[in-house]
mmCIF file of all heavy atoms in Angstrom:
data_model
loop_
_atom_site.group_PDB
_atom_site.id
_atom_site.type_symbol
_atom_site.label_atom_id
_atom_site.label_comp_id
_atom_site.label_asym_id
_atom_site.label_seq_id
_atom_site.Cartn_x
_atom_site.Cartn_y
_atom_site.Cartn_z
ATOM 1 N N PHE A 1 -20.179 -63.233 -82.634
ATOM 2 C CA PHE A 1 -19.496 -62.188 -83.408
ATOM 3 C C PHE A 1 -18.016 -62.065 -83.053
ATOM 4 O O PHE A 1 -17.449 -60.970 -83.073
ATOM 5 C CB PHE A 1 -20.164 -60.830 -83.216
ATOM 6 C CG PHE A 1 -21.654 -60.852 -83.206
ATOM 7 C CD1 PHE A 1 -22.370 -60.375 -82.122
ATOM 8 C CD2 PHE A 1 -22.368 -61.374 -84.276
ATOM 9 C CE1 PHE A 1 -23.760 -60.378 -82.112
ATOM 10 C CE2 PHE A 1 -23.752 -61.394 -84.266
ATOM 11 C CZ PHE A 1 -24.448 -60.899 -83.184
ATOM 12 N N ARG A 2 -17.368 -63.179 -82.716
ATOM 13 C CA ARG A 2 -15.959 -63.138 -82.355
ATOM 14 C C ARG A 2 -15.183 -64.159 -83.172
ATOM 15 O O ARG A 2 -15.589 -65.329 -83.285
ATOM 16 C CB ARG A 2 -15.760 -63.418 -80.863
ATOM 17 C CG ARG A 2 -16.407 -62.392 -79.956
ATOM 18 C CD ARG A 2 -16.080 -62.664 -78.506
ATOM 19 N NE ARG A 2 -14.659 -62.494 -78.221
ATOM 20 C CZ ARG A 2 -14.111 -62.655 -77.013
ATOM 21 N NH1 ARG A 2 -14.894 -62.966 -75.992
ATOM 22 N NH2 ARG A 2 -12.815 -62.495 -76.824
ATOM 23 N N THR A 3 -14.070 -63.730 -83.730
ATOM 24 C CA THR A 3 -13.226 -64.620 -84.513
ATOM 25 C C THR A 3 -12.723 -65.770 -83.652
ATOM 26 O O THR A 3 -12.246 -65.558 -82.528
ATOM 27 C CB THR A 3 -12.028 -63.851 -85.098
ATOM 28 O OG1 THR A 3 -12.505 -62.757 -85.890
ATOM 29 C CG2 THR A 3 -11.163 -64.750 -85.960
ATOM 30 N N GLY A 4 -12.836 -66.986 -84.164
ATOM 31 C CA GLY A 4 -12.367 -68.146 -83.431
ATOM 32 C C GLY A 4 -13.381 -68.746 -82.486
ATOM 33 O O GLY A 4 -13.091 -69.752 -81.831
ATOM 34 N N ARG A 5 -14.562 -68.120 -82.398
ATOM 35 C CA ARG A 5 -15.608 -68.651 -81.533
ATOM 36 C C ARG A 5 -16.857 -68.921 -82.373
ATOM 37 O O ARG A 5 -17.064 -68.299 -83.401
ATOM 38 C CB ARG A 5 -15.940 -67.693 -80.392
ATOM 39 C CG ARG A 5 -14.784 -67.500 -79.427
ATOM 40 C CD ARG A 5 -15.225 -66.822 -78.151
ATOM 41 N NE ARG A 5 -14.182 -66.801 -77.144
ATOM 42 C CZ ARG A 5 -14.356 -66.477 -75.873
ATOM 43 N NH1 ARG A 5 -15.568 -66.139 -75.433
ATOM 44 N NH2 ARG A 5 -13.351 -66.494 -75.020
ATOM 45 N N SER A 6 -17.674 -69.850 -81.916
ATOM 46 C CA SER A 6 -18.855 -70.232 -82.676
ATOM 47 C C SER A 6 -19.983 -70.596 -81.734
ATOM 48 O O SER A 6 -19.777 -70.802 -80.529
ATOM 49 C CB SER A 6 -18.542 -71.431 -83.581
ATOM 50 O OG SER A 6 -18.308 -72.603 -82.796
ATOM 51 N N CYS A 7 -21.188 -70.687 -82.295
ATOM 52 C CA CYS A 7 -22.333 -71.108 -81.487
ATOM 53 C C CYS A 7 -22.184 -72.560 -81.039
ATOM 54 O O CYS A 7 -22.718 -72.957 -80.003
ATOM 55 C CB CYS A 7 -23.632 -70.916 -82.263
ATOM 56 S SG CYS A 7 -23.761 -71.854 -83.790
ATOM 57 N N ILE A 8 -21.444 -73.356 -81.819
ATOM 58 C CA ILE A 8 -21.197 -74.751 -81.435
ATOM 59 C C ILE A 8 -20.350 -74.803 -80.170
ATOM 60 O O ILE A 8 -20.652 -75.538 -79.223
ATOM 61 C CB ILE A 8 -20.514 -75.518 -82.581
ATOM 62 C CG1 ILE A 8 -21.378 -75.487 -83.842
ATOM 63 C CG2 ILE A 8 -20.227 -76.964 -82.170
ATOM 64 C CD1 ILE A 8 -20.688 -76.061 -85.070
ATOM 65 N N ALA A 9 -19.269 -74.014 -80.153
ATOM 66 C CA ALA A 9 -18.402 -73.984 -78.975
ATOM 67 C C ALA A 9 -19.128 -73.418 -77.765
ATOM 68 O O ALA A 9 -18.935 -73.886 -76.638
ATOM 69 C CB ALA A 9 -17.154 -73.161 -79.284
ATOM 70 N N ALA A 10 -19.970 -72.406 -77.987
ATOM 71 C CA ALA A 10 -20.752 -71.836 -76.885
ATOM 72 C C ALA A 10 -21.696 -72.872 -76.304
ATOM 73 O O ALA A 10 -21.828 -73.015 -75.078
ATOM 74 C CB ALA A 10 -21.523 -70.612 -77.363
ATOM 75 N N ALA A 11 -22.370 -73.627 -77.181
ATOM 76 C CA ALA A 11 -23.301 -74.661 -76.717
ATOM 77 C C ALA A 11 -22.572 -75.760 -75.955
ATOM 78 O O ALA A 11 -23.081 -76.285 -74.961
ATOM 79 C CB ALA A 11 -24.060 -75.234 -77.904
ATOM 80 N N ALA A 12 -21.358 -76.119 -76.407
ATOM 81 C CA ALA A 12 -20.602 -77.210 -75.790
ATOM 82 C C ALA A 12 -20.270 -76.931 -74.328
ATOM 83 O O ALA A 12 -20.079 -77.865 -73.546
ATOM 84 C CB ALA A 12 -19.327 -77.467 -76.583
ATOM 85 N N ARG A 13 -20.209 -75.662 -73.931
ATOM 86 C CA ARG A 13 -19.901 -75.321 -72.543
ATOM 87 C C ARG A 13 -21.024 -75.697 -71.591
ATOM 88 O O ARG A 13 -20.843 -75.649 -70.371
ATOM 89 C CB ARG A 13 -19.596 -73.828 -72.441
ATOM 90 C CG ARG A 13 -18.331 -73.418 -73.191
ATOM 91 C CD ARG A 13 -18.102 -71.929 -73.111
ATOM 92 N NE ARG A 13 -17.807 -71.463 -71.769
ATOM 93 C CZ ARG A 13 -16.616 -71.435 -71.226
ATOM 94 N NH1 ARG A 13 -15.574 -71.866 -71.915
ATOM 95 N NH2 ARG A 13 -16.437 -70.989 -69.984
ATOM 96 N N HIS A 14 -22.179 -76.049 -72.131
ATOM 97 C CA HIS A 14 -23.331 -76.392 -71.298
ATOM 98 C C HIS A 14 -23.748 -77.860 -71.441
ATOM 99 O O HIS A 14 -24.824 -78.247 -70.977
ATOM 100 C CB HIS A 14 -24.508 -75.484 -71.646
ATOM 101 C CG HIS A 14 -24.214 -74.026 -71.509
ATOM 102 N ND1 HIS A 14 -24.177 -73.389 -70.298
ATOM 103 C CD2 HIS A 14 -23.909 -73.084 -72.444
ATOM 104 C CE1 HIS A 14 -23.869 -72.106 -70.490
ATOM 105 N NE2 HIS A 14 -23.708 -71.900 -71.788
ATOM 106 N N GLY A 15 -22.912 -78.663 -72.073
ATOM 107 C CA GLY A 15 -23.261 -80.058 -72.306
ATOM 108 C C GLY A 15 -23.223 -80.907 -71.043
ATOM 109 O O GLY A 15 -22.336 -80.761 -70.195
ATOM 110 N N GLY A 16 -24.205 -81.809 -70.911
ATOM 111 C CA GLY A 16 -24.228 -82.763 -69.821
ATOM 112 C C GLY A 16 -24.541 -82.194 -68.449
ATOM 113 O O GLY A 16 -24.281 -82.851 -67.433
ATOM 114 N N GLU A 17 -25.106 -80.996 -68.365
ATOM 115 C CA GLU A 17 -25.420 -80.383 -67.077
ATOM 116 C C GLU A 17 -26.814 -80.809 -66.606
ATOM 117 O O GLU A 17 -27.670 -81.211 -67.390
ATOM 118 C CB GLU A 17 -25.356 -78.865 -67.176
ATOM 119 C CG GLU A 17 -23.961 -78.317 -67.445
ATOM 120 C CD GLU A 17 -23.050 -78.411 -66.230
ATOM 121 O OE1 GLU A 17 -23.530 -78.835 -65.145
ATOM 122 O OE2 GLU A 17 -21.873 -78.059 -66.347
ATOM 123 N N GLU A 18 -27.035 -80.657 -65.305
ATOM 124 C CA GLU A 18 -28.303 -81.067 -64.709
ATOM 125 C C GLU A 18 -29.458 -80.202 -65.200
ATOM 126 O O GLU A 18 -30.565 -80.701 -65.438
ATOM 127 C CB GLU A 18 -28.196 -81.014 -63.181
ATOM 128 C CG GLU A 18 -29.408 -81.559 -62.450
ATOM 129 C CD GLU A 18 -29.192 -81.617 -60.955
ATOM 130 O OE1 GLU A 18 -28.051 -81.838 -60.524
ATOM 131 O OE2 GLU A 18 -30.179 -81.441 -60.208
ATOM 132 N N ILE A 19 -29.207 -78.911 -65.344
ATOM 133 C CA ILE A 19 -30.264 -78.006 -65.780
ATOM 134 C C ILE A 19 -29.663 -76.903 -66.643
ATOM 135 O O ILE A 19 -28.512 -76.489 -66.443
ATOM 136 C CB ILE A 19 -31.013 -77.409 -64.567
ATOM 137 C CG1 ILE A 19 -32.335 -76.787 -65.006
ATOM 138 C CG2 ILE A 19 -30.150 -76.384 -63.824
ATOM 139 C CD1 ILE A 19 -33.243 -76.445 -63.836
ATOM 140 N N VAL A 20 -30.409 -76.456 -67.630
ATOM 141 C CA VAL A 20 -30.024 -75.348 -68.494
ATOM 142 C C VAL A 20 -31.113 -74.281 -68.402
ATOM 143 O O VAL A 20 -32.292 -74.580 -68.589
ATOM 144 C CB VAL A 20 -29.839 -75.796 -69.959
ATOM 145 C CG1 VAL A 20 -29.575 -74.584 -70.861
ATOM 146 C CG2 VAL A 20 -28.692 -76.796 -70.073
ATOM 147 N N VAL A 21 -30.707 -73.033 -68.125
ATOM 148 C CA VAL A 21 -31.639 -71.913 -68.002
ATOM 149 C C VAL A 21 -31.245 -70.864 -69.030
ATOM 150 O O VAL A 21 -30.087 -70.433 -69.068
ATOM 151 C CB VAL A 21 -31.616 -71.302 -66.589
ATOM 152 C CG1 VAL A 21 -32.684 -70.210 -66.471
ATOM 153 C CG2 VAL A 21 -31.830 -72.379 -65.529
ATOM 154 N N GLY A 22 -32.194 -70.460 -69.860
ATOM 155 C CA GLY A 22 -31.910 -69.496 -70.913
ATOM 156 C C GLY A 22 -32.806 -68.273 -70.841
ATOM 157 O O GLY A 22 -33.979 -68.360 -70.480
ATOM 158 N N PHE A 23 -32.246 -67.122 -71.200
ATOM 159 C CA PHE A 23 -32.975 -65.857 -71.274
ATOM 160 C C PHE A 23 -32.658 -65.211 -72.622
ATOM 161 O O PHE A 23 -31.613 -65.471 -73.220
ATOM 162 C CB PHE A 23 -32.574 -64.904 -70.147
ATOM 163 C CG PHE A 23 -32.750 -65.464 -68.766
ATOM 164 C CD1 PHE A 23 -31.725 -66.210 -68.165
ATOM 165 C CD2 PHE A 23 -33.910 -65.243 -68.056
ATOM 166 C CE1 PHE A 23 -31.875 -66.725 -66.888
ATOM 167 C CE2 PHE A 23 -34.071 -65.752 -66.776
ATOM 168 C CZ PHE A 23 -33.051 -66.499 -66.196
ATOM 169 N N ASP A 24 -33.543 -64.344 -73.077
ATOM 170 C CA ASP A 24 -33.367 -63.676 -74.363
ATOM 171 C C ASP A 24 -33.505 -62.166 -74.179
ATOM 172 O O ASP A 24 -34.475 -61.699 -73.582
ATOM 173 C CB ASP A 24 -34.409 -64.176 -75.373
ATOM 174 C CG ASP A 24 -34.185 -63.611 -76.760
ATOM 175 O OD1 ASP A 24 -33.359 -64.169 -77.501
ATOM 176 O OD2 ASP A 24 -34.839 -62.607 -77.113
ATOM 177 N N LEU A 25 -32.513 -61.416 -74.678
ATOM 178 C CA LEU A 25 -32.571 -59.961 -74.635
ATOM 179 C C LEU A 25 -33.467 -59.452 -75.748
ATOM 180 O O LEU A 25 -33.298 -59.836 -76.916
ATOM 181 C CB LEU A 25 -31.176 -59.358 -74.776
ATOM 182 C CG LEU A 25 -30.162 -59.695 -73.682
ATOM 183 C CD1 LEU A 25 -28.791 -59.123 -74.031
ATOM 184 C CD2 LEU A 25 -30.617 -59.182 -72.327
ATOM 185 N N ALA A 26 -34.416 -58.605 -75.420
ATOM 186 C CA ALA A 26 -35.346 -58.061 -76.408
ATOM 187 C C ALA A 26 -34.715 -56.895 -77.153
ATOM 188 O O ALA A 26 -34.007 -56.070 -76.552
ATOM 189 C CB ALA A 26 -36.634 -57.608 -75.730
ATOM 190 N N ASP A 27 -34.925 -56.840 -78.457
ATOM 191 C CA ASP A 27 -34.489 -55.708 -79.286
ATOM 192 C C ASP A 27 -33.019 -55.385 -79.055
ATOM 193 O O ASP A 27 -32.635 -54.240 -78.778
ATOM 194 C CB ASP A 27 -35.352 -54.473 -78.993
ATOM 195 C CG ASP A 27 -36.841 -54.760 -79.138
ATOM 196 O OD1 ASP A 27 -37.207 -55.536 -80.025
ATOM 197 O OD2 ASP A 27 -37.641 -54.216 -78.344
ATOM 198 N N PHE A 28 -32.176 -56.385 -79.194
ATOM 199 C CA PHE A 28 -30.769 -56.267 -78.811
ATOM 200 C C PHE A 28 -30.052 -55.142 -79.542
ATOM 201 O O PHE A 28 -29.463 -54.263 -78.918
ATOM 202 C CB PHE A 28 -30.059 -57.603 -79.046
ATOM 203 C CG PHE A 28 -28.637 -57.645 -78.560
ATOM 204 C CD1 PHE A 28 -28.301 -57.221 -77.284
ATOM 205 C CD2 PHE A 28 -27.623 -58.119 -79.387
ATOM 206 C CE1 PHE A 28 -26.986 -57.271 -76.830
ATOM 207 C CE2 PHE A 28 -26.316 -58.181 -78.945
ATOM 208 C CZ PHE A 28 -26.000 -57.759 -77.673
ATOM 209 N N PHE A 29 -30.122 -55.110 -80.864
ATOM 210 C CA PHE A 29 -29.431 -54.070 -81.621
ATOM 211 C C PHE A 29 -30.152 -52.722 -81.554
ATOM 212 O O PHE A 29 -29.561 -51.718 -81.159
ATOM 213 C CB PHE A 29 -29.235 -54.512 -83.072
ATOM 214 C CG PHE A 29 -28.130 -55.523 -83.245
ATOM 215 C CD1 PHE A 29 -28.425 -56.860 -83.419
ATOM 216 C CD2 PHE A 29 -26.811 -55.142 -83.228
ATOM 217 C CE1 PHE A 29 -27.425 -57.796 -83.571
ATOM 218 C CE2 PHE A 29 -25.793 -56.070 -83.380
ATOM 219 C CZ PHE A 29 -26.105 -57.408 -83.544
ATOM 220 N N PRO A 30 -31.420 -52.649 -81.943
ATOM 221 C CA PRO A 30 -32.082 -51.331 -81.907
ATOM 222 C C PRO A 30 -32.202 -50.750 -80.511
ATOM 223 O O PRO A 30 -32.337 -49.531 -80.361
ATOM 224 C CB PRO A 30 -33.458 -51.609 -82.517
ATOM 225 C CG PRO A 30 -33.672 -53.070 -82.380
ATOM 226 C CD PRO A 30 -32.312 -53.688 -82.493
ATOM 227 N N GLY A 31 -32.163 -51.591 -79.476
ATOM 228 C CA GLY A 31 -32.266 -51.096 -78.112
ATOM 229 C C GLY A 31 -31.011 -50.412 -77.599
ATOM 230 O O GLY A 31 -31.023 -49.821 -76.518
ATOM 231 N N ILE A 32 -29.912 -50.469 -78.360
ATOM 232 C CA ILE A 32 -28.668 -49.797 -77.976
ATOM 233 C C ILE A 32 -28.662 -48.427 -78.635
ATOM 234 O O ILE A 32 -28.478 -48.295 -79.841
ATOM 235 C CB ILE A 32 -27.444 -50.632 -78.387
ATOM 236 C CG1 ILE A 32 -27.481 -51.986 -77.657
ATOM 237 C CG2 ILE A 32 -26.149 -49.887 -78.067
ATOM 238 C CD1 ILE A 32 -26.395 -52.945 -78.096
ATOM 239 N N ALA A 33 -28.860 -47.400 -77.839
ATOM 240 C CA ALA A 33 -29.057 -46.046 -78.350
ATOM 241 C C ALA A 33 -27.742 -45.347 -78.668
ATOM 242 O O ALA A 33 -26.665 -45.774 -78.246
ATOM 243 C CB ALA A 33 -29.854 -45.216 -77.335
ATOM 244 N N PHE A 34 -27.864 -44.239 -79.396
ATOM 245 C CA PHE A 34 -26.712 -43.421 -79.762
ATOM 246 C C PHE A 34 -25.899 -43.015 -78.541
ATOM 247 O O PHE A 34 -24.668 -43.033 -78.573
ATOM 248 C CB PHE A 34 -27.192 -42.180 -80.521
ATOM 249 C CG PHE A 34 -26.111 -41.161 -80.773
ATOM 250 C CD1 PHE A 34 -25.326 -41.228 -81.912
ATOM 251 C CD2 PHE A 34 -25.880 -40.130 -79.866
ATOM 252 C CE1 PHE A 34 -24.329 -40.290 -82.148
ATOM 253 C CE2 PHE A 34 -24.887 -39.183 -80.106
ATOM 254 C CZ PHE A 34 -24.117 -39.267 -81.240
ATOM 255 N N SER A 35 -26.577 -42.621 -77.461
ATOM 256 C CA SER A 35 -25.873 -42.163 -76.269
ATOM 257 C C SER A 35 -24.937 -43.224 -75.711
ATOM 258 O O SER A 35 -23.836 -42.913 -75.247
ATOM 259 C CB SER A 35 -26.879 -41.729 -75.194
ATOM 260 O OG SER A 35 -27.757 -42.793 -74.858
ATOM 261 N N ARG A 36 -25.370 -44.498 -75.782
ATOM 262 C CA ARG A 36 -24.519 -45.576 -75.284
ATOM 263 C C ARG A 36 -23.330 -45.790 -76.226
ATOM 264 O O ARG A 36 -22.212 -46.034 -75.763
ATOM 265 C CB ARG A 36 -25.321 -46.864 -75.135
ATOM 266 C CG ARG A 36 -24.476 -48.016 -74.591
ATOM 267 C CD ARG A 36 -25.295 -49.244 -74.304
ATOM 268 N NE ARG A 36 -26.196 -49.063 -73.180
ATOM 269 C CZ ARG A 36 -26.824 -50.054 -72.560
ATOM 270 N NH1 ARG A 36 -26.649 -51.295 -72.944
ATOM 271 N NH2 ARG A 36 -27.611 -49.807 -71.544
ATOM 272 N N VAL A 37 -23.560 -45.698 -77.525
ATOM 273 C CA VAL A 37 -22.465 -45.846 -78.485
ATOM 274 C C VAL A 37 -21.447 -44.727 -78.294
ATOM 275 O O VAL A 37 -20.233 -44.953 -78.306
ATOM 276 C CB VAL A 37 -23.006 -45.856 -79.928
ATOM 277 C CG1 VAL A 37 -21.862 -46.022 -80.925
ATOM 278 C CG2 VAL A 37 -24.027 -46.977 -80.113
ATOM 279 N N HIS A 38 -21.944 -43.499 -78.105
ATOM 280 C CA HIS A 38 -21.062 -42.361 -77.850
ATOM 281 C C HIS A 38 -20.231 -42.603 -76.588
ATOM 282 O O HIS A 38 -19.015 -42.353 -76.574
ATOM 283 C CB HIS A 38 -21.903 -41.089 -77.712
ATOM 284 C CG HIS A 38 -21.101 -39.859 -77.384
ATOM 285 N ND1 HIS A 38 -20.883 -39.428 -76.090
ATOM 286 C CD2 HIS A 38 -20.460 -38.980 -78.186
ATOM 287 C CE1 HIS A 38 -20.157 -38.326 -76.112
ATOM 288 N NE2 HIS A 38 -19.890 -38.035 -77.369
#
């Protein structure tokens, strides 16, 4: 969600490495409550 950046460029930062470890945030948008936005 940033101008000038892409998922391709993000992926390229991990190319050719010995190991790749990934995690996924659950309910990313709905999990951010009004209080945090405030």
Side-chain angles (χ1 to χ4, degrees):
F1 319 122
R2 297 185 66 179
T3 303
R5 295 193 172 192
S6 68
C7 61
I8 301 172
R13 295 178 66 86
H14 303 282
E17 294 287 356
E18 186 174 328
I19 196 168
V20 174
V21 185
F23 303 87
D24 186 83
L25 298 175
D27 306 324
F28 186 49
F29 284 102
I32 298 174
F34 171 89
S35 58
R36 181 174 291 194
V37 180
H38 177 267

